[in-house]
Structure formats: C-alpha cells, structure tokens
Amino acid sequence: MSLFIKDYCIEEFEKRGVTLDDMAELLLLIQQKHSPDLTIEAAKKHILKVFEKREVQNVVLTGLTLDKMAENHTLDEPLHSLMWNDDSLYGVDEVLAYGIANIYGSIGLTNFGYLDKAKPGIIGKVNDKHDGKVNTFLDDLISAVVAAAASRVAHRKRDGYHILDVD
Amino acid sequence: MSLFIKDYCIEEFEKRGVTLDDMAELLLLIQQKHSPDLTIEAAKKHILKVFEKREVQNVVLTGLTLDKMAENHTLDEPLHSLMWNDDSLYGVDEVLAYGIANIYGSIGLTNFGYLDKAKPGIIGKVNDKHDGKVNTFLDDLISAVVAAAASRVAHRKRDGYHILDVD
Amino acid sequence: MSLFIKDYCIEEFEKRGVTLDDMAELLLLIQQKHSPDLTIEAAKKHILKVFEKREVQNVVLTGLTLDKMAENHTLDEPLHSLMWNDDSLYGVDEVLAYGIANIYGSIGLTNFGYLDKAKPGIIGKVNDKHDGKVNTFLDDLISAVVAAAASRVAHRKRDGYHILDVD
Amino acid sequence: MSLFIKDYCIEEFEKRGVTLDDMAELLLLIQQKHSPDLTIEAAKKHILKVFEKREVQNVVLTGLTLDKMAENHTLDEPLHSLMWNDDSLYGVDEVLAYGIANIYGSIGLTNFGYLDKAKPGIIGKVNDKHDGKVNTFLDDLISAVVAAAASRVAHRKRDGYHILDVD
C-alpha cells in the first residue's frame, strides 16, 4: 500500500465535501442492526483500513480523477460530454465500484447497491449536483468504500475480534 | 437458450411461491420513476426475456437446486449446515446473483443490491423463513432477475424502442 | 447503442494500430478448436456486434481516453505517473475489462485471462511499448472484446444459428 | 475463518488428486518471471493463507460439493445432467471462481483465465476426465486459488515483505 496515495484519496474526498465522519456515519447506519456497539471512532478506523488497500486506492484515484477532469473541462471528448451530462446508462462507475466492494468478499455487493440507490446521508448530498459539479464516480466510490468496510466489520466480528478492535 | 430449462426455472419459482406477477411488480416499483408507462403485462414479458438467457438459466438452476436440496436434507455436509443455518457470511448467493445482474450491463448491480437489502414485496416474504424452508439463494435470484430486467428496460428505452415493445 | 460512439471506438483502436482484422484473427485463434468453420469475415462481424453494445462502448471509451491522455501528459497526477510507469499492480484495467468480458456470459472470463496473459498476435505488439506509448488499458480492452465475441459465437452456435450467420 | 472448513477443503482437494504441492508448483510457474526466488515451501504457505479466507472456503465448499454429488448421482435433475455432461456453456464454475480470484485484487483475473485455459500441470490432469469423474468446478477452483495466491505474492512483495515471509 501507499500511504501517500491513501492520504491523497482521503484529502480529495474532503475537497469534494466528503469527510471520514460522513462515511463512518453511513457505516454505523448499515451496521447498526448487526453491530449496535460499533462507535463512530471505530467506524472511522475501519474506513481508513479500507483506504490502505492498494486495489481500493487505484480505483478511487481513477474515479476521482475522471470526475475532477470532467468538472474542469480537461477530459477529452466524447467522454467529457458523457460524464458532464451524467448519462444514466454510463455504468463504468458501477464497474469500478465493484472492484472495491468485494475486496472483503461478496457480501459487500448488497450494501453497495443499497447505498448507491437509497442514497442516505452524504451520498444524497453529493448526488444532488449543482454549480457545474461532476460526481459521476464519487457517489459510487463512497458507497463501495463503506460497503467494503461493512464486510470488514462483519468478517472480523465472526473471527472473534472485539468490535472496537480494528487493526 | 433452452425453453425446457426456462419453463423449469419459472415453475420452480412458482413452487416456492414466487410468480411472474410478483417479479413484474418489483420491476414496476424500481422502474416507476424512469419508466412510468411500463405496464404489468410488459414487465412480465421483460422478465420472461431475462429467463431466456442461458447464463441466467444456469445460475438460477444451480441456486434453486442448492436451496431445495438443503431444505430436503439431501445436500452433503458441511455445506448443508452452512445453508440450513443461513450463515450471514455465506456470500456464494451474491456471487451467483452477480452472474445474472450484469448480463444486461453493470447498471444492474445497484438495483440488485437495493432489492436484496430493502427486500420489498415478494423478496421480504421469501426471506421471512419458517417451517424448515431454505431460501438462501432464492431471494438473491429474484433480486438479480428483476435487476437484469430493469437494465433491459433502460437500455431498450434509450435505443428508441417503445416501452411496451418487448421483443 | 450509439453508432457514433461505435465508429469512434473502432477508429481509435485503428489509430493505435489495432484493426478489426487483428481482432478477428485472435477470435479465429481461440475459436478454431470449437468452431473450425468460422471465417475471418464472419469473425469481424461478430466483433462489430460486440462494439454495438452500449456497455462495451462506455468501457472502451473510458479506457482508451485514459491511455491517450496519459500518453499526451494531459492526465492529472498522481494517476498520470501510475499509468505512465505501467504499474503492474494497477488493476483497474482488469476491472474495466471484466465489464466487457462477461456481457455475453461468464465463459468469457477464461478467454479474457488467457489472451491477456499469453498475448498472442496484436496484443503482444501493443504491449511491447516504446516511444512513449501508453497502452495500459488497450491490451485488456482487445482481450475483453475478443473474449466477448468468442462467447457470442459459442452461445449462438448452441442456439442453432449457422456459424456464418451473425445478425 | 474456520480452520475446520479450511482443513476440510484441503482434504477434499487431496481426495480428488490435488495436493498443496501441485498447486504450489502452479504458483511457481506463473510467478517465476516476477518472483524467481519464491520456493515451493513458501508457495505452499501462500496457498494455505488463501484457504484461510472465509470467502474462499465458502466458494470451494460449494463447488466441490456440486462436483462430488454430480459424480455420485445424488444431485437433483436437471442440474445433474448439465454437470454430468460437462456442458461447455455452463459458466457457473467461472462465476464462482471469480468470487475467489479477485479476493486479493483484480490482477488475479488474468492469471485465473490463463490457468483455466492453458491447463498446465494438475489442472490438465483433473480436466482429463474418465471413469465417471466430475470435475466441472474443480479445475476452476484450482485456477482461482492459485491466481489469488499469485496476487497475494505480488502485493506483499510491493509492500516490502521478503518473498519467503508469508504471514
């Protein structure tokens, strides 16, 4: 893993208005039924662990760069128009997110789809685009990272780790 | 495609309490925002088209057989116990469903996850197990078939087909 | 599907030195055992059919744009360096290719991996980078399109179509 | 993870003629270019680590059970006939294998496909069926486990671990 790229990804999320706290709250939301003892602090640490995975970093980096370049009108055509107009049949964001969601196993797929469709919390906010923002990949990346973290929590719980023991 | 296996799959769904109408209603539910003119009759035809795909048939057949054999105690151990106890970390049902959900493209992933988690309509009913029923794969199969049908509707609409033109 | 984007994708492949004939030859290579009667002309038509799929077009467009922008030094950092240096652990090209390879069903996965690793014909040529070319995505895209076409041939053959009947 | 199921999976592989040494040799084969210092002992340990993953265990268990029951004629129809005749368009084995191959990231996909198609070593042997053996899933499972182990080796090498340091 690259700590440089890990930090870069988290900073880029923050620049686009998505904090670790926002993602930790989503994790609590989808885990509250299965892991009611999970705290916001532990949730943040689980999310950070997901960002340490090289596979996650590469997917996040690629998706965020595409969003940012579409937003800055520096992406080549015709991809720029496709992303700028947020074509509902452009599914590359889902393809990429899948590369993240199942890094901790296939149970992440269900949570990914749920978050991406129901759009609770920060996901709804970034999806409510305005002022020339392009978040085509961002909402899928958030959903996928949180879904991966949820799988991490579930598998570790079964493995006998205490819910607040993250490392 | 095999019409024999197509019919077999639909009959097996019905034997387990899941009709084409049940699935068509789910399709209307997730498509109502994008395709408000879709009728229950057209929805059923789209679902039938999905069942014509050999890939879908093979996945459905495999999943339903595993459910049925677990229910009848004819599946070998230790797989029987894993399925009988409905282990929440057994994710092979999601892996299989993925083989269906994206047969019409990656946008199916989001609808699959949403249906599988929110469990509207018939999905909630089959998931509410009792009397020794095993529906480990069934709920994922329903979600995946309906999600595939939704992708089919969306792609065909963009391709200029009338919403009630299914073939 | 968009005929404009279909033509654009094929032209971009040609600009990067990959013709429909190159891909048709790969298709003959991997199908010769199962479909010895397949001709180069029919193979080209099957490949064209794959390029008509919107999902394929979107993935191809995204991958080719990333390659081209990395090559022209117009991609933002740090993604540019990652692609410029052709990091062997950057797996987003495989993630994207997967979105193509199984559009005709999961049997495409095996052919995709084989082509991408053995690198016969044109795949080996584009992979043998020099003169500042960046083909990080291109070789995976070729492998995935040909693998999808091979699945198309196999499924249609079973469905009773004549090997030279493509539409 | 379950050590019981881990051991069960390895024993079942052995009963079907596939030893850890067989798989370790395949790992050396596909890693020799990138990691020439990898030994057979270290390769075996990497393979064992892959078998510790719950996701891998569940997929292996499901696939092996289906093979064994098809072989013993205890699987329900029509799935039995489909597997018994080793239908080349039955792609559920590839779908399942995918659930293993990318557990260590998407670079596993390429190695999976290569092994599954080129069939070196033990994979060719189990695929050369005779005497009523059914290995529909087994060859894909071997390919996927070895491909996952190869990704594990590659990612750990980049992370600075010594090639013989497995834990």
Side-chain angles (χ1 to χ4, degrees), chain B residues 74-154:
Chain B
T74 54
L75 200 61
D76 285 358
E77 286 291 359
L79 184 58
H80 172 72
S81 293
L82 213 60
M83 286 187 58
W84 182 259
N85 297 319
D86 196 26
D87 186 321
S88 64
L89 297 184
Y90 179 76
V92 182
D93 38 353
E94 277 90 357
V95 174
L96 275 198
Y98 181 69
I100 293 177
N102 71 351
I103 207 83
Y104 289 97
S106 56
I107 59 168
L109 266 186
T110 300
N111 278 325
F112 162 68
Y114 176 76
L115 290 171
D116 203 42
K117 177 107 180 167
K119 302 191 184 304
I122 188 67
I123 302 174
K125 277 184 203 153
V126 303
N127 194 60
D128 191 18
K129 285 167 296 291
H130 52 91
D131 308 329
K133 285 279 172 199
V134 174
N135 289 326
T136 298
F137 283 90
L138 183 60
D139 55 344
D140 298 86
L141 295 174
I142 301 169
S143 299
V145 166
V146 174
S151 299
R152 188 178 198 273
V153 169

Side-chain angles (χ1 to χ4, degrees), chain A residues 61-62 65, chain C residues 66 75-84 90:
Chain A
L61 194 58
T62 306
T65 300
Chain C
L66 288 168
L75 200 61
D76 286 358
E77 286 291 0
L79 184 58
H80 171 73
S81 292
L82 212 61
M83 286 188 57
W84 183 258
Y90 179 77

Side-chain angles (χ1 to χ4, degrees), chain A residues 88-117:
Chain A
S88 65
L89 298 184
Y90 180 77
V92 182
D93 38 352
E94 277 89 359
V95 174
L96 276 198
Y98 181 68
I100 293 177
N102 70 351
I103 208 81
Y104 289 97
S106 55
I107 59 168
L109 265 187
T110 300
N111 278 327
F112 163 69
Y114 177 76
L115 290 171
D116 204 41
K117 176 110 180 166

Side-chain angles (χ1 to χ4, degrees), chain B residues 36-81:
Chain B
D37 298 336
L38 186 66
T39 62
I40 193 88
E41 281 311 306
K44 278 164 75 172
K45 286 179 186 164
H46 281 291
I47 304 250
L48 281 168
K49 281 287 171 185
V50 172
F51 274 111
E52 285 184 9
K53 292 268 182 181
R54 182 177 295 109
E55 187 82 5
V56 174
Q57 294 173 1
N58 286 338
V59 169
V60 166
L61 193 59
T62 307
L64 286 183
T65 301
L66 287 168
D67 271 358
K68 209 167 50 169
M69 295 188 73
E71 197 167 298
N72 296 337
H73 296 259
T74 54
L75 200 61
D76 285 358
E77 286 291 359
L79 184 58
H80 172 72
S81 293

Side-chain angles (χ1 to χ4, degrees), chain B residues 12-26:
Chain B
E12 285 299 307
F13 266 66
E14 284 178 357
K15 281 188 197 163
R16 302 190 80 76
V18 183
T19 66
L20 283 174
D21 275 285
D22 291 329
M23 288 186 276
E25 275 167 29
L26 290 176

